[in-house]
Amino acid sequence: MAAYALGHSEGELQRLAMQNRMFGELTLDVFRRAGIGEGMKVADFGCGAGDTTFLLRAMVGPGGHVIGIDRSADAIAKARQRAAAVELDNVEFVEANADDWSPAEPLDAVAGRFVMMYQSDPAAWLRRVAGLVRHGGIVAFQEIVVGQLRVVGDAPLFARGADVMLETFRRSGADPNMGDRLAPVFRAAGLGDPGMIAAQRVECGPDSAGYALFAGTLASLMPVAEKLGVTTAAEIEVDTLAGRLREEVVRTGATMFLPLLVGAWATTAE
C-alpha cells in the first residue's frame, strides 16, 4: 500500500472539505447510478474526515447506516467530531486497514473515492472488500486521472503545478491515473464489466474555487515532493500560488480542466 502523499495535517483535512465541495455532485452521481439508496448499510473505504461518508449517509437516509473506515487516527477523530456536531446516529467511523476489517454482517454496498489509487494490488484489494457485500450487493468506486489535469491557454503556473502533482504521486507509489484502469481491475476482481461514467470540472474566470483547490493540493503534497526531489517550496511559492494562478488565468483567458473523475460500479454475484 502506498503512503498517503497528501498527509493528514489540519490543512489537508480542510482541503478535503474543499475538494468535496468541488467534486461532491460528481461522486453522488456515480453512487446513484450504482443503485445505492434508502435503507442500505454501506461501508466507505478511505473515508478521511468523512466527506464521502456524509454523502452516502444522505443517500441511505435515516433508515440506513454508513461506516467510514480509514487508517488515519487523525482523520477518524475529525470525522467523529463532525458527526457528533450534527448528532448523526446512523454514521460510525472506524480506524482500521481495509485488509483487517470486517462487518458484523454482510453489507449492502461498499464504496469509496480516491482510495484504490493507493493500493499496491488494486484487484486483490477490491476482491477483498467486495467479499464483504451480500449476494447481489453493490460495489462502487470513483477514482482520479491526474494526467487529464490540463489548461487550454497560456498558464505556465498551472502547467508546472500539474506536472508536480503527477510526478509526486508516481514517485510516492500511488497510481495517479487509477481511473483509467478501473475496468480491468473490476474484471480481475471477479466483478465482470462494470458500469462506468467519467466527469470533469472545467473552470475559468476570477471566482472559481479551483485556484484554491489546486494550490491546496500542492501545499499538501509539498513535504513529499521535496523529500522525493520533485520540487521545492521555494520554487513553487505555494503560499501565494492561488492568487498568482487566478491572475494568470484571468489575464490570459485560459481554461482549467481539473482532474478527470471516473466512476465504476458492479453488483456481486447472486
Side-chain angles (χ1 to χ4, degrees), residues 34-35 40 106-110 130 133-139 191 266-270:
M40 288 187 172
L107 301 162
D108 296 306
V110 291
V133 178
R134 62 172 173 79
H135 297 310
I138 296 166
V139 178
L191 293 165
T267 56
T268 58
E270 293 285 357

Side-chain angles (χ1 to χ4, degrees), residues 11 14-16 18-19 21-22 158 165 203 206-220 238 240-246 256 258:
Q14 293 173 7
R15 187 202 68 85
L16 287 172
M18 179 166 48
Q19 173 180 268
R21 290 191 293 272
M22 290 288 290
F158 186 94
M165 287 183 199
E203 301 291 316
D207 300 325
S208 171
Y211 309 115
L213 179 60
F214 188 88
T217 302
L218 281 171
S220 289
V238 72
T240 61
L241 179 59
R244 289 183 293 120
L245 181 59
R246 177 185 288 106
M256 303 183 302
L258 299 188

Side-chain angles (χ1 to χ4, degrees), residues 96-117:
N97 190 310
D99 293 336
D100 305 323
W101 179 84
S102 294
E105 56 186 30
L107 301 162
D108 296 306
V110 291
R113 178 173 65 191
F114 309 161
V115 61
M116 292 171 63
M117 64 184 287

